[in-house]
Short mmCIF file of all heavy atoms in Angstrom, two decimals:
data_model
loop_
_atom_site.label_atom_id
_atom_site.label_comp_id
_atom_site.label_asym_id
_atom_site.label_seq_id
_atom_site.Cartn_x
_atom_site.Cartn_y
_atom_site.Cartn_z
N GLY M 15 2.85 31.22 -16.44
CA GLY M 15 3.03 31.71 -17.80
C GLY M 15 1.70 31.70 -18.52
O GLY M 15 0.74 32.33 -18.07
N ASN M 16 1.61 30.94 -19.61
CA ASN M 16 0.35 30.82 -20.33
C ASN M 16 -0.36 29.50 -20.05
O ASN M 16 -1.32 29.15 -20.73
CB ASN M 16 0.57 30.99 -21.84
CG ASN M 16 1.51 29.92 -22.41
OD1 ASN M 16 1.99 29.06 -21.68
ND2 ASN M 16 1.77 29.99 -23.70
N LYS M 17 0.11 28.77 -19.03
CA LYS M 17 -0.49 27.48 -18.68
C LYS M 17 -1.42 27.66 -17.48
O LYS M 17 -1.05 28.32 -16.50
CB LYS M 17 0.59 26.44 -18.37
CG LYS M 17 1.48 26.12 -19.56
CD LYS M 17 2.52 25.09 -19.23
CE LYS M 17 3.67 25.67 -18.42
NZ LYS M 17 4.50 26.60 -19.21
N VAL M 18 -2.60 27.06 -17.55
CA VAL M 18 -3.61 27.17 -16.50
C VAL M 18 -3.87 25.78 -15.92
O VAL M 18 -4.18 24.84 -16.67
CB VAL M 18 -4.92 27.77 -17.05
CG1 VAL M 18 -5.98 27.84 -15.95
CG2 VAL M 18 -4.67 29.16 -17.64
N VAL M 19 -3.73 25.66 -14.60
CA VAL M 19 -3.91 24.36 -13.95
C VAL M 19 -4.98 24.51 -12.85
O VAL M 19 -4.77 25.26 -11.89
CB VAL M 19 -2.60 23.85 -13.32
CG1 VAL M 19 -2.78 22.42 -12.79
CG2 VAL M 19 -1.45 23.93 -14.31
N PRO M 20 -6.12 23.81 -12.96
CA PRO M 20 -7.14 23.84 -11.91
C PRO M 20 -7.02 22.64 -10.98
O PRO M 20 -6.25 21.71 -11.25
CB PRO M 20 -8.44 23.76 -12.72
CG PRO M 20 -8.07 22.88 -13.88
CD PRO M 20 -6.60 23.13 -14.17
N GLU M 21 -7.78 22.67 -9.88
CA GLU M 21 -7.90 21.57 -8.93
C GLU M 21 -6.64 21.41 -8.09
O GLU M 21 -5.54 21.20 -8.61
CB GLU M 21 -8.22 20.23 -9.63
CG GLU M 21 -9.49 20.25 -10.45
CD GLU M 21 -10.75 20.38 -9.60
OE1 GLU M 21 -10.74 19.91 -8.46
OE2 GLU M 21 -11.73 20.96 -10.09
N SER M 22 -6.81 21.45 -6.77
CA SER M 22 -5.66 21.55 -5.88
C SER M 22 -4.71 20.36 -5.97
O SER M 22 -3.48 20.55 -5.98
CB SER M 22 -6.12 21.76 -4.43
OG SER M 22 -6.86 20.64 -3.96
N PHE M 23 -5.22 19.13 -6.04
CA PHE M 23 -4.31 17.99 -6.10
C PHE M 23 -3.52 17.99 -7.42
O PHE M 23 -2.33 17.65 -7.44
CB PHE M 23 -5.07 16.67 -5.96
CG PHE M 23 -5.53 16.38 -4.56
CD1 PHE M 23 -6.51 15.42 -4.32
CD2 PHE M 23 -5.02 17.06 -3.47
CE1 PHE M 23 -6.94 15.13 -3.03
CE2 PHE M 23 -5.44 16.80 -2.18
CZ PHE M 23 -6.40 15.83 -1.96
N THR M 24 -4.19 18.35 -8.50
CA THR M 24 -3.51 18.45 -9.80
C THR M 24 -2.44 19.53 -9.75
O THR M 24 -1.33 19.35 -10.26
CB THR M 24 -4.53 18.75 -10.91
OG1 THR M 24 -5.57 17.79 -10.89
CG2 THR M 24 -3.86 18.75 -12.28
N ILE M 25 -2.76 20.65 -9.10
CA ILE M 25 -1.80 21.74 -8.97
C ILE M 25 -0.59 21.30 -8.16
O ILE M 25 0.56 21.60 -8.50
CB ILE M 25 -2.46 22.98 -8.34
CG1 ILE M 25 -3.56 23.53 -9.26
CG2 ILE M 25 -1.42 24.06 -8.06
CD1 ILE M 25 -4.42 24.61 -8.61
N LEU M 26 -0.82 20.58 -7.05
CA LEU M 26 0.30 20.11 -6.22
C LEU M 26 1.27 19.27 -7.05
O LEU M 26 2.50 19.44 -6.94
CB LEU M 26 -0.20 19.30 -5.04
CG LEU M 26 -0.98 20.02 -3.94
CD1 LEU M 26 -1.28 19.07 -2.79
CD2 LEU M 26 -0.24 21.24 -3.42
N GLU M 27 0.75 18.37 -7.84
CA GLU M 27 1.64 17.51 -8.64
C GLU M 27 2.34 18.32 -9.73
O GLU M 27 3.52 18.08 -10.02
CB GLU M 27 0.85 16.34 -9.22
CG GLU M 27 0.34 15.38 -8.13
CD GLU M 27 0.16 13.97 -8.62
OE1 GLU M 27 0.97 13.51 -9.44
OE2 GLU M 27 -0.80 13.31 -8.17
N TYR M 28 1.63 19.28 -10.31
CA TYR M 28 2.26 20.13 -11.33
C TYR M 28 3.42 20.91 -10.71
O TYR M 28 4.51 20.99 -11.29
CB TYR M 28 1.23 21.09 -11.93
CG TYR M 28 1.85 22.06 -12.92
CD1 TYR M 28 2.08 21.66 -14.23
CD2 TYR M 28 2.23 23.35 -12.53
CE1 TYR M 28 2.68 22.54 -15.14
CE2 TYR M 28 2.82 24.22 -13.43
CZ TYR M 28 3.05 23.81 -14.73
OH TYR M 28 3.64 24.67 -15.62
N ILE M 29 3.18 21.49 -9.54
CA ILE M 29 4.23 22.24 -8.85
C ILE M 29 5.44 21.35 -8.57
O ILE M 29 6.59 21.72 -8.81
CB ILE M 29 3.69 22.84 -7.53
CG1 ILE M 29 2.71 23.97 -7.83
CG2 ILE M 29 4.82 23.33 -6.64
CD1 ILE M 29 1.95 24.47 -6.60
N ASP M 30 5.17 20.14 -8.10
CA ASP M 30 6.27 19.25 -7.72
C ASP M 30 7.08 18.80 -8.93
O ASP M 30 8.30 18.64 -8.85
CB ASP M 30 5.70 18.02 -6.99
CG ASP M 30 6.74 17.34 -6.11
OD1 ASP M 30 7.64 18.03 -5.60
OD2 ASP M 30 6.63 16.11 -5.91
N GLU M 31 6.41 18.62 -10.07
CA GLU M 31 7.10 18.16 -11.27
C GLU M 31 7.80 19.30 -12.01
O GLU M 31 8.75 19.08 -12.76
CB GLU M 31 6.12 17.45 -12.19
CG GLU M 31 5.63 16.13 -11.61
CD GLU M 31 4.48 15.52 -12.39
OE1 GLU M 31 4.14 16.06 -13.47
OE2 GLU M 31 3.90 14.51 -11.92
N THR M 32 7.32 20.54 -11.79
CA THR M 32 7.90 21.69 -12.49
C THR M 32 9.11 22.25 -11.74
O THR M 32 10.12 22.60 -12.35
CB THR M 32 6.84 22.79 -12.67
OG1 THR M 32 5.72 22.25 -13.39
CG2 THR M 32 7.40 23.98 -13.44
N TRP M 33 9.01 22.32 -10.43
CA TRP M 33 10.10 22.83 -9.60
C TRP M 33 10.63 21.66 -8.76
O TRP M 33 9.95 21.14 -7.87
CB TRP M 33 9.60 23.94 -8.69
CG TRP M 33 9.23 25.19 -9.45
CD1 TRP M 33 10.07 26.20 -9.83
CD2 TRP M 33 7.92 25.57 -9.92
NE1 TRP M 33 9.36 27.18 -10.50
CE2 TRP M 33 8.04 26.81 -10.57
CE3 TRP M 33 6.66 24.97 -9.85
CZ2 TRP M 33 6.97 27.48 -11.14
CZ3 TRP M 33 5.58 25.61 -10.43
CH2 TRP M 33 5.74 26.85 -11.07
N LYS M 34 11.85 21.25 -9.06
CA LYS M 34 12.38 20.01 -8.49
C LYS M 34 12.90 20.15 -7.06
O LYS M 34 13.06 19.16 -6.36
CB LYS M 34 13.51 19.47 -9.38
CG LYS M 34 13.08 19.19 -10.83
CD LYS M 34 11.97 18.14 -10.88
CE LYS M 34 11.63 17.80 -12.33
NZ LYS M 34 10.51 16.82 -12.41
N GLN M 35 13.16 21.39 -6.61
CA GLN M 35 13.70 21.57 -5.26
C GLN M 35 12.65 21.19 -4.21
O GLN M 35 11.45 21.30 -4.44
CB GLN M 35 14.15 23.03 -5.04
CG GLN M 35 13.05 24.08 -5.00
CD GLN M 35 12.67 24.63 -6.37
OE1 GLN M 35 12.90 23.99 -7.38
NE2 GLN M 35 12.10 25.83 -6.38
N ASN M 36 13.13 20.72 -3.08
CA ASN M 36 12.25 20.33 -1.96
C ASN M 36 11.09 19.44 -2.43
O ASN M 36 9.93 19.83 -2.38
CB ASN M 36 11.68 21.58 -1.26
CG ASN M 36 12.77 22.49 -0.74
OD1 ASN M 36 13.81 22.04 -0.29
ND2 ASN M 36 12.53 23.79 -0.82
N PRO M 37 11.40 18.23 -2.91
CA PRO M 37 10.35 17.36 -3.47
C PRO M 37 9.21 17.12 -2.48
O PRO M 37 9.45 16.94 -1.28
CB PRO M 37 11.09 16.06 -3.77
CG PRO M 37 12.53 16.44 -3.87
CD PRO M 37 12.72 17.59 -2.93
N LEU M 38 8.01 17.10 -3.00
CA LEU M 38 6.82 16.81 -2.19
C LEU M 38 6.47 15.33 -2.24
O LEU M 38 6.20 14.71 -1.21
CB LEU M 38 5.63 17.65 -2.67
CG LEU M 38 5.80 19.17 -2.71
CD1 LEU M 38 4.55 19.82 -3.27
CD2 LEU M 38 6.11 19.70 -1.31
N MET M 39 6.47 14.78 -3.42
CA MET M 39 6.12 13.37 -3.61
C MET M 39 7.32 12.47 -3.32
O MET M 39 8.47 12.84 -3.58
CB MET M 39 5.67 13.13 -5.05
CG MET M 39 4.20 13.37 -5.29
SD MET M 39 3.21 12.06 -4.54
CE MET M 39 1.63 12.35 -5.34
N PRO M 40 7.08 11.28 -2.77
CA PRO M 40 8.16 10.30 -2.61
C PRO M 40 8.73 9.91 -3.98
O PRO M 40 8.05 10.01 -5.00
CB PRO M 40 7.47 9.10 -1.95
CG PRO M 40 6.13 9.55 -1.53
CD PRO M 40 5.78 10.75 -2.33
N GLN M 41 9.97 9.46 -3.99
CA GLN M 41 10.60 9.05 -5.25
C GLN M 41 10.12 7.67 -5.69
O GLN M 41 10.05 7.39 -6.89
CB GLN M 41 12.11 9.05 -5.08
CG GLN M 41 12.70 10.43 -4.82
CD GLN M 41 12.36 11.43 -5.90
OE1 GLN M 41 12.68 11.23 -7.07
NE2 GLN M 41 11.68 12.51 -5.52
N ASP M 42 9.77 6.84 -4.74
CA ASP M 42 9.34 5.47 -5.05
C ASP M 42 7.95 5.47 -5.66
O ASP M 42 7.02 6.07 -5.09
CB ASP M 42 9.35 4.63 -3.77
CG ASP M 42 8.84 3.23 -4.02
OD1 ASP M 42 9.51 2.47 -4.73
OD2 ASP M 42 7.74 2.90 -3.51
N PRO M 43 7.73 4.81 -6.82
CA PRO M 43 6.42 4.82 -7.47
C PRO M 43 5.30 4.26 -6.59
O PRO M 43 4.17 4.78 -6.62
CB PRO M 43 6.63 3.94 -8.72
CG PRO M 43 8.10 4.01 -8.98
CD PRO M 43 8.75 4.13 -7.64
N TYR M 44 5.60 3.21 -5.83
CA TYR M 44 4.57 2.66 -4.95
C TYR M 44 4.19 3.65 -3.87
O TYR M 44 3.00 3.86 -3.58
CB TYR M 44 5.07 1.36 -4.32
CG TYR M 44 4.09 0.78 -3.30
CD1 TYR M 44 2.90 0.21 -3.72
CD2 TYR M 44 4.36 0.84 -1.94
CE1 TYR M 44 1.99 -0.30 -2.80
CE2 TYR M 44 3.46 0.33 -1.01
CZ TYR M 44 2.27 -0.24 -1.45
OH TYR M 44 1.38 -0.72 -0.54
N ALA M 45 5.18 4.29 -3.26
CA ALA M 45 4.90 5.28 -2.22
C ALA M 45 4.10 6.45 -2.79
O ALA M 45 3.22 6.99 -2.12
CB ALA M 45 6.20 5.77 -1.60
N ARG M 46 4.38 6.85 -4.04
CA ARG M 46 3.60 7.92 -4.67
C ARG M 46 2.16 7.49 -4.86
O ARG M 46 1.23 8.26 -4.60
CB ARG M 46 4.20 8.30 -6.02
CG ARG M 46 5.50 9.09 -5.92
CD ARG M 46 5.79 9.85 -7.20
NE ARG M 46 5.92 8.99 -8.37
CZ ARG M 46 7.06 8.41 -8.74
NH1 ARG M 46 8.16 8.59 -8.02
NH2 ARG M 46 7.11 7.66 -9.82
N ALA M 47 1.97 6.24 -5.30
CA ALA M 47 0.62 5.75 -5.51
C ALA M 47 -0.16 5.70 -4.20
O ALA M 47 -1.34 6.09 -4.14
CB ALA M 47 0.66 4.35 -6.14
N ILE M 48 0.48 5.25 -3.13
CA ILE M 48 -0.18 5.19 -1.83
C ILE M 48 -0.50 6.59 -1.31
O ILE M 48 -1.55 6.82 -0.70
CB ILE M 48 0.70 4.40 -0.83
CG1 ILE M 48 0.83 2.94 -1.27
CG2 ILE M 48 0.12 4.48 0.57
CD1 ILE M 48 -0.49 2.19 -1.39
N SER M 49 0.40 7.54 -1.55
CA SER M 49 0.13 8.92 -1.15
C SER M 49 -1.11 9.46 -1.85
O SER M 49 -1.96 10.11 -1.23
CB SER M 49 1.34 9.81 -1.47
OG SER M 49 2.45 9.48 -0.67
N ARG M 50 -1.23 9.19 -3.14
CA ARG M 50 -2.42 9.64 -3.88
C ARG M 50 -3.68 8.97 -3.34
O ARG M 50 -4.73 9.61 -3.21
CB ARG M 50 -2.26 9.33 -5.37
CG ARG M 50 -1.19 10.14 -6.07
CD ARG M 50 -1.21 9.89 -7.56
NE ARG M 50 -0.12 10.58 -8.24
CZ ARG M 50 1.00 9.98 -8.65
NH1 ARG M 50 1.17 8.67 -8.45
NH2 ARG M 50 1.94 10.68 -9.25
N PHE M 51 -3.57 7.69 -3.03
CA PHE M 51 -4.73 6.97 -2.49
C PHE M 51 -5.23 7.63 -1.21
O PHE M 51 -6.43 7.91 -1.06
CB PHE M 51 -4.39 5.50 -2.22
CG PHE M 51 -5.43 4.81 -1.38
CD1 PHE M 51 -6.59 4.33 -1.96
CD2 PHE M 51 -5.27 4.67 0.00
CE1 PHE M 51 -7.57 3.73 -1.19
CE2 PHE M 51 -6.24 4.07 0.77
CZ PHE M 51 -7.40 3.59 0.18
#
């Protein structure tokens, strides 16, 4: 739309949070943190 998102990792998280189907990130906060690490 009118939103611009740069940087691939930032884009991946934006996509995952905007479209909920087929989640990319784990649901567990610790697992998400480890994935980012």
Side-chain angles (χ1 to χ4, degrees):
N16 61 0
K17 297 180 283 291
V18 178
V19 187
E21 302 292 330
S22 64
F23 286 164
T24 306
I25 296 170
L26 291 185
E27 294 207 37
Y28 176 82
I29 289 171
D30 202 30
E31 292 170 6
T32 302
W33 292 274
K34 301 300 184 182
Q35 68 273 22
N36 302 324
L38 303 178
M39 273 287 194
Q41 295 303 301
D42 177 66
Y44 175 71
R46 287 200 300 273
I48 295 301
S49 293
R50 292 187 185 102
F51 167 80

